[in-house]
Amino acid sequence: MPTAQGGDKRSFARTRNNSESTRAPQNFDRKRQLSEAQAETMNNSDCRINPRKLGTPRGESHAAVSTSGDRKNRNKPTRGRKKNVFEAYMSMEDVAAGLKRGELIQGPLRINPKKYHEAFIPSPDGIRDIFIDGVVARNRALNGDIVVVKLLPKEQWKVIKPDGSDKETEATHDSDVPEELSGTCLPREPEKGDADSPDVIIEAQFDDNDAQNGQENSQTVLADDIKKLSMDTNEKVKDAESGCAQGAKQDDVSKVNNPRLLQEKFLQRTAKVVCILERKHSRAATGFIKLLADKSSELFKKCAMFSPVDHRVPRAYVSLADCPLDFVSRPEDYSSTLFICRIVDWREDSNFAIGQMAKSLGQAGEIEPETEGILMEYGVDFSDFSQDVLECLPQSLPWVIPPAELASRRDLRKECIFTIDPSTARDLDDALSCKQLPDGNVEVGVHIADVSYFVLEGTALDQVASERATSVYLVQKVIPMLPRLLCEELCSLNPMKDRLTFSVMWKMTPEGKILDEWFGRTVICSCVKLSYDHAQSMIENPSKVFGPEELPPVSPQHPVDEIHRAVLNLHRIAKHLRKQRFIDGALRLDQLKLSFTLDKESGMPQGCYIYQYRDSNKLVEEFMLLANMAVAHQIYRSFPQQALLRRHPPPQTKMLNDLMEFCDQMGLEIDFSSAGALHKSLNEMFGADSYAEARKEVLTNMFSRPMQMALYFCAGVLEDETLFRHYALNVPLYTHFTSPIRRFADVLVHRLLSASLGSGRPVQMRKEAIQKQADHCNDRKMASKRVQELSADLFFAIFVRECGPLESEAMVMGVLNKAFDVLVLRFGVQKRIYCNALPLTGVRFEKVGKKPELTLLWEPETPEQEVAPQVITIFTLVEVVLTSDSGPLKYSAVLKRPGREK
């Protein structure tokens, strides 16, 4: 485990609840407040918590929530009772046998951050997720763990309500629009998780006074629900037969009469965890400490209670010896202090875990403590690089390229090569060139920093880079994968500096048709560091003569007009490439991305804005995609068993079907048959006015939800080559080659490419080792993505707190029976608006045709006014106000009364 910054040798990671509300120290969940009076004493010899001497406290706990799996352990005194709360895990031998026989199912566990007693794993058939009902059924597994589950009897399966009137979120799918398709990090309402699945879970209505009859009650409720569903479907059959059903088709009759299809549509399988195969979750969390409630208990003298911010992590006993010295005498002084705690044990006979305090982070709601907590939760190594690692770097500075290395490379230092990056970028790992040829064609080059020259296999530097796997980009800083000497100096393609590169060069027609292709190690000298703004200005002003004061320093070897022509030529070719990509069936889902302006002294957010994706961004993107695809083909041809590639599976079937049904209900003609068809539908069905643009943003957000993660993989471990495909790019082979400063996967691809050209060491890694590294890169990439989102959430919550209230137009994107979800268009965030928080005299929910509709009846503001109705449907435009709540990082959206001026 890497060492955390600040001298503490223990580093922890967590799965943080993406919720501004739950970070607040005042927001402890009352349902989880327990009486610890019945807890047994600690080990007196050590002043540390002995997990073997902790029984089960009486009263509700994190594991005792209102679910069927937990009822038998709820509100039962434990004194003298030896019964375990959780089942013992199955042996690995039994697990292997059960998986082989198909009696057990394995998969990654996803816990609903909004309802922590609900969890899911993907179904092997790709249809409806398997539901894990309650913390007891989850059996001490945490979010992200790879678990093995056993299906429960059919009478314990869950019923899906057909009308969806009280639709809630499954909210745990790791939907991901790959960076090559959007390049965005969307600030979202974290309580709602990663995606709102249309699945609706109806929990059995148990008798709270008689938990022992839970199974009988379950069967009764299930029978009643199925009976009701049968009545509903019988009505549909009659309607279909009479031709009265809206939009009914002839085969609808057979569908609703088919028990198997009825089961698939209205029943969701449930299961319990019987084994944790891999603990992906780090067992660490940020949270708050408090004294135990019963001051007379022996346990009160030994330990405190740690309450994680993320309710998916259990509460834990921690030793008072690890708490601040004056905590017992002045606990109120620490009510708003964030701490890091690691879960070290969670026994079968206890609702509580055992934790070990790591460090105090600081005050909740402040940027640095919150940021450090996010990094530690997700296992981001932000410590200083060790001396062993630094010794792998060139020791003689300033460093110059050795003559022998220069002689072995193609020398491009006299060519007009330049970088285009964000203005704040310091790790410049890609450059472009475009030279006009005498025959009317052009030579285009993509030149990538040759990181593999400095990061040699088997070294300490290689080891730490492979462990970090990616740089992590926060709002205010970057946690680099490599030492800054490399990522900001020796590898960064800084202007007027000789740099080692790996290049892909093409001879092209002016329309972008490739005539010839070349790969090789090169040396370049960038002539200018352009920002996207500079390149965009050149594109928008093709005839303008730019003065030296309008651009960064330019090499005297290349006049500004030469650079300008090269940018215009690249832009022209990129437009052809992009057009052809989408003709060939590619998909792009551009979600709103929030960017911040920060105060240079305080680091606090001064303002925020939606990032504009312009032609200069598209120019760079097209050539990076082209290079990645070219390298993928090259390394796969050379090493079909060892090539490190990147695949993007098709959308999740169940979620896609639900989305298709939704679009049908809304009267939207969307073609879901392929990625290209979806892209065409999304971009051709709307006009150019602001309302149409808002609808497009909402639909783009919805379409991203069924998308699965794009994954690195080793070609040799997948026998079926059709699985290699990248769904959204609609190409057979793809990889990452263009960002080796910030992604270790690209370093491995560089080594493979070098070996394929005979200019590097032969590939020594076996396919199993490459796949293991690919899996690790996938894990760290997802963690980095979550950290980036949480950093944006943090800064936006602080911005609302410091600069709010903030008004914005918003569009409704989901309607429930007592609430509705909106996309706040000015800031790109999603919020849920609850009707009971509004000054209403009443609320009416109904289905108009197939569309859900809420009618809000506003209270009159004066006696002369009448009740004002407001109809809320999907795609309704409303005015909202974002206001900071009681917690330091909690904010909410309030609906403005209709008719009021902005």
Side-chain angles (χ1 to χ4, degrees):
M1 184 70 70
T3 303
Q5 196 173 37
D8 193 314
K9 293 186 178 180
R10 291 167 294 186
S11 176
F12 305 104
R14 65 175 173 170
T15 300
R16 185 184 184 91
N17 181 8
N18 298 349
S19 171
E20 63 273 14
S21 63
T22 53
R23 289 187 195 151
Q26 296 91 337
N27 192 45
F28 294 119
D29 190 344
R30 292 187 180 275
K31 293 181 180 179
R32 298 172 63 200
Q33 291 179 350
L34 314 180
S35 170
E36 295 91 1
Q38 300 299 318
E40 297 181 17
T41 60
M42 299 163 50
N43 186 340
N44 292 326
S45 63
D46 190 354
C47 288
R48 297 281 174 174
I49 300 169
N50 186 341
R52 298 182 180 276
K53 291 192 174 185
L54 283 177
T56 306
R58 182 168 59 185
E60 283 194 335
S61 76
H62 181 77
V65 291
S66 301
T67 60
S68 58
D70 301 326
R71 291 285 174 175
K72 294 180 181 180
N73 299 299
R74 189 180 183 201
N75 295 331
K76 296 280 186 175
T78 62
R79 192 168 302 225
R81 179 165 64 89
K82 298 296 184 181
K83 186 175 180 180
N84 287 341
V85 179
F86 303 103
E87 289 186 12
Y89 294 131
M90 292 177 63
S91 68
M92 292 309 298
E93 293 78 7
D94 290 342
V95 166
L99 290 171
K100 187 174 183 180
R101 291 192 299 265
E103 298 172 354
L104 304 177
I105 300 170
Q106 77 175 67
L109 182 75
R110 306 186 319 276
I111 305 174
N112 188 337
K114 193 172 183 180
K115 292 185 176 181
Y116 62 82
H117 56 278
E118 294 182 354
F120 306 84
I121 71 164
S123 174
D125 60 15
I127 306 299
R128 192 186 301 281
D129 289 339
I130 297 169
F131 182 46
I132 299 167
D133 186 11
V135 179
V136 168
R138 198 161 74 227
N139 203 0
R140 295 162 288 162
L142 297 186
N143 192 62
D145 288 351
I146 307 300
V147 299
V148 175
V149 303
K150 181 179 181 180
L151 292 178
L152 297 176
K154 188 173 294 186
E155 60 266 20
Q156 296 183 41
W157 293 3
K158 291 300 176 185
V159 180
I160 311 301
K161 182 176 284 190
D163 63 8
S165 61
D166 60 348
K167 179 165 63 178
E168 267 296 346
T169 176
E170 209 170 84
T172 49
H173 278 288
D174 287 331
S175 301
D176 178 42
V177 182
E179 64 178 24
E180 53 266 21
L181 307 182
S182 70
T184 65
C185 172
L186 177 67
R188 298 171 291 184
E189 180 176 11
E191 285 185 351
K192 296 169 63 180
D194 299 316
D196 279 351
S197 166
D199 288 355
V200 184
I201 307 300
I202 300 179
E203 296 187 19
Q205 302 300 310
F206 293 107
D207 182 358
D208 284 336
N209 297 320
D210 191 1
Q212 293 183 356
N213 294 326
Q215 185 173 358
E216 290 79 4
N217 289 338
S218 175
Q219 292 171 337
T220 302
V221 172
L222 184 62
D224 290 344
D225 284 336
I226 292 178
K227 182 178 179 181
K228 182 180 184 301
L229 289 175
S230 298
M231 294 172 63
D232 292 340
T233 51
N234 286 335
E235 290 300 318
K236 292 181 181 179
V237 171
K238 292 178 182 179
D239 287 342
E241 289 174 340
S242 63
C244 296
Q246 295 184 16
K249 299 180 180 178
Q250 187 64 36
D251 61 351
D252 284 349
V253 178
S254 60
K255 286 183 180 179
V256 295
N257 276 321
N258 188 320
R260 183 182 64 82
L261 292 177
L262 183 66
Q263 175 176 305
E264 288 180 358
K265 187 170 182 62
F266 297 119
L267 288 181
Q268 181 170 32
R269 293 182 293 173
T270 60
K272 62 181 180 180
V273 173
V274 296
C275 180
I276 302 176
L277 285 183
E278 186 176 359
R279 297 185 178 223
K280 293 282 190 179
H281 191 286
S282 65
R283 272 58 188 170
T286 59
F288 304 91
I289 56 174
K290 64 176 182 177
L291 295 174
L292 302 187
D294 187 358
K295 296 182 179 181
S296 63
S297 70
E298 187 67 23
L299 192 61
F300 180 86
K301 303 174 184 178
K302 301 292 184 181
C303 66
M305 181 63 69
F306 175 79
S307 294
V309 167
D310 186 349
H311 290 180
R312 296 173 294 182
V313 180
R315 298 212 297 171
Y317 289 117
V318 294
S319 172
L320 283 176
D322 290 338
C323 297
L325 294 177
D326 60 344
F327 168 66
V328 173
S329 60
R330 302 180 61 85
E332 66 278 359
D333 290 354
Y334 298 93
S335 61
S336 298
T337 302
L338 277 177
F339 291 88
I340 283 281
C341 174
R342 185 179 185 186
I343 304 302
V344 295
D345 197 6
W346 194 1
R347 295 185 54 77
E348 299 163 14
D349 59 355
S350 178
N351 286 311
F352 295 115
I354 306 302
Q356 186 174 37
M357 298 290 287
K359 63 182 297 187
S360 169
L361 295 173
Q363 287 298 302
E366 295 182 358
I367 289 177
E368 287 311 312
E370 292 283 352
T371 297
E372 185 175 350
I374 292 170
L375 294 172
M376 295 182 74
E377 283 186 42
Y378 279 87
V380 176
D381 181 2
F382 57 101
S383 63
D384 293 334
F385 289 95
S386 69
Q387 190 59 37
D388 287 346
V389 170
L390 298 179
E391 287 176 357
C392 298
L393 305 177
Q395 300 299 304
S396 178
L397 299 175
W399 180 80
V400 294
I401 301 173
E405 190 63 33
L406 271 177
S408 67
R409 294 172 178 259
R410 183 172 173 178
D411 193 341
L412 301 175
R413 287 177 292 177
K414 294 183 179 180
E415 301 295 329
C416 180
I417 298 174
F418 47 86
T419 59
I420 304 176
D421 286 280
S423 58
T424 57
R426 300 170 69 180
D427 48 354
L428 315 179
D429 48 15
D430 58 86
L432 293 165
S433 62
C434 185
K435 182 170 68 174
Q436 194 74 43
L437 299 176
D439 60 2
N441 295 313
V442 292
E443 182 185 68
V444 174
V446 171
H447 314 278
I448 307 300
D450 190 357
V451 175
S452 62
Y453 174 86
F454 296 95
V455 183
L456 301 178
E457 287 186 73
T459 61
L461 177 59
D462 181 50
Q463 179 64 27
V464 74
S466 68
E467 289 175 356
R468 294 193 178 201
T470 180
S471 294
V472 179
Y473 290 82
L474 306 171
V475 170
Q476 78 278 33
K477 60 184 175 182
V478 179
I479 310 300
M481 181 181 77
L482 299 171
R484 296 192 182 276
L485 178 63
L486 291 185
C487 62
E488 296 181 7
E489 292 294 334
L490 303 187
C491 291
S492 185
L493 306 182
N494 298 328
M496 280 79 84
K497 301 287 185 181
D498 291 353
R499 291 292 181 255
L500 300 179
T501 47
F502 227 134
S503 299
V504 185
M505 303 182 74
W506 301 274
K507 182 179 179 180
M508 290 182 173
T509 67
E511 295 73 36
K513 181 181 179 181
I514 296 175
L515 305 175
D516 192 22
E517 185 175 70
W518 180 87
F519 303 91
R521 283 190 139 133
T522 53
V523 56
I524 70 166
C525 183
S526 171
C527 60
V528 65
K529 175 189 174 183
L530 296 177
S531 70
Y532 283 117
D533 290 336
H534 295 135
Q536 186 66 29
S537 182
M538 290 180 171
I539 292 169
E540 294 175 355
N541 301 281
S543 302
K544 180 178 178 179
V545 177
F546 285 85
E549 71 284 352
E550 298 179 85
L551 295 174
V554 177
S555 169
Q557 296 182 9
H558 301 282
V560 172
D561 66 321
E562 181 185 10
I563 299 169
H564 193 177
R565 283 197 307 271
V567 169
L568 292 175
N569 286 335
L570 288 171
H571 170 59
R572 184 184 69 247
I573 297 170
K575 287 197 298 183
H576 287 294
L577 292 174
R578 188 178 182 84
K579 180 180 179 181
Q580 189 60 47
R581 262 202 320 118
F582 291 118
I583 291 174
D584 292 341
L587 165 68
R588 185 177 177 92
L589 296 173
D590 276 322
Q591 296 180 321
L592 299 175
K593 177 184 177 183
L594 192 62
S595 296
F596 297 87
T597 55
L598 306 180
D599 183 271
K600 292 183 178 180
E601 294 184 0
S602 68
M604 296 288 284
Q606 287 182 318
C608 59
Y609 57 94
I610 298 296
Y611 185 81
Q612 296 299 310
Y613 185 77
R614 299 174 295 176
D615 285 337
S616 55
N617 303 83
K618 297 174 184 177
L619 181 161
V620 175
E621 178 189 50
E622 287 307 314
F623 291 106
M624 298 304 113
L625 290 173
L626 192 65
N628 285 335
M629 288 184 279
V631 170
H633 284 273
Q634 171 68 15
I635 63 175
Y636 184 58
R637 282 193 300 265
S638 302
F639 307 110
Q641 290 294 304
Q642 296 162 300
L644 179 65
L645 303 174
R646 186 165 170 82
R647 64 189 181 94
H648 184 212
Q652 299 175 61
T653 305
K654 174 64 176 63
M655 296 184 74
L656 186 65
N657 290 338
D658 288 333
L659 185 58
M660 292 169 62
E661 185 176 343
F662 163 80
C663 289
D664 181 61
Q665 291 172 355
M666 299 302 297
L668 300 172
E669 296 183 2
I670 305 293
D671 186 349
F672 290 92
S673 60
S674 67
L678 180 57
H679 180 88
K680 185 176 180 181
S681 296
L682 185 61
N683 286 275
E684 293 184 358
M685 70 180 298
F686 299 116
D689 60 280
S690 59
Y691 179 74
E693 282 298 315
R695 281 182 41 149
K696 182 178 177 181
E697 295 296 347
V698 168
L699 280 176
T700 297
N701 188 281
M702 292 179 177
F703 292 167
S704 71
R705 294 172 182 172
M707 296 298 165
Q708 299 196 64
M709 285 291 301
L711 300 167
Y712 298 113
F713 72 102
C714 179
V717 304
L718 286 182
E719 296 180 1
D720 186 356
E721 196 169 322
T722 61
L723 298 177
F724 292 12
R725 289 195 66 84
H726 198 293
Y727 167 79
L729 289 176
N730 196 32
V731 294
L733 296 174
Y734 189 70
T735 194
H736 273 167
F737 160 76
T738 54
S739 294
I741 290 178
R742 65 182 179 94
R743 295 187 303 227
F744 189 73
D746 301 52
V747 177
L748 294 182
V749 168
H750 277 227
R751 292 172 181 170
L752 289 162
L753 179 60
S754 180
S756 76
L757 300 173
S759 60
R761 297 172 59 187
V763 178
Q764 297 177 335
M765 292 179 70
R766 299 174 61 87
K767 64 181 182 180
E768 293 80 9
I770 294 175
Q771 182 59 46
K772 184 177 181 180
Q773 183 64 52
D775 291 338
H776 181 66
C777 287
N778 291 329
D779 291 342
R780 299 319 305 159
K781 188 173 182 64
M782 173 52 70
S784 173
K785 179 176 181 287
R786 295 290 179 256
V787 166
Q788 185 178 351
E789 291 171 347
L790 287 172
S791 179
D793 291 338
L794 166 63
F795 273 78
F796 186 65
I798 291 174
F799 180 70
V800 174
R801 185 185 73 194
E802 299 297 322
C803 304
L806 307 173
E807 296 189 9
S808 173
E809 196 171 44
M811 179 166 277
V812 177
M813 57 189 307
V815 177
L816 289 74
N817 59 347
K818 294 180 181 179
F820 56 96
D821 296 325
V822 297
L823 178 64
V824 184
L825 298 172
R826 180 180 167 192
F827 305 109
V829 298
Q830 297 176 34
K831 295 297 291 183
R832 175 162 293 179
I833 297 177
Y834 295 92
C835 296
N836 61 8
L838 301 174
L840 306 175
T841 62
V843 178
R844 184 172 66 250
F845 176 87
E846 58 185 337
K847 285 289 188 75
V848 180
K850 296 182 179 180
K851 301 177 183 179
E853 182 176 290
L854 268 179
T855 301
L856 311 181
L857 303 176
W858 289 84
E859 289 181 353
E861 292 186 280
T862 64
E864 295 78 20
Q865 290 182 338
E866 296 181 355
V867 173
Q870 181 180 17
V871 177
I872 301 294
T873 63
I874 295 175
F875 301 133
T876 297
L877 278 175
V878 296
E879 292 288 330
V880 300
V881 180
L882 301 181
T883 59
S884 183
D885 292 344
S886 56
L889 294 176
K890 182 182 178 183
Y891 69 95
S892 59
V894 178
L895 185 65
K896 290 186 68 174
R897 183 183 292 268
R900 284 188 175 178
E901 293 185 3
K902 297 182 183 180

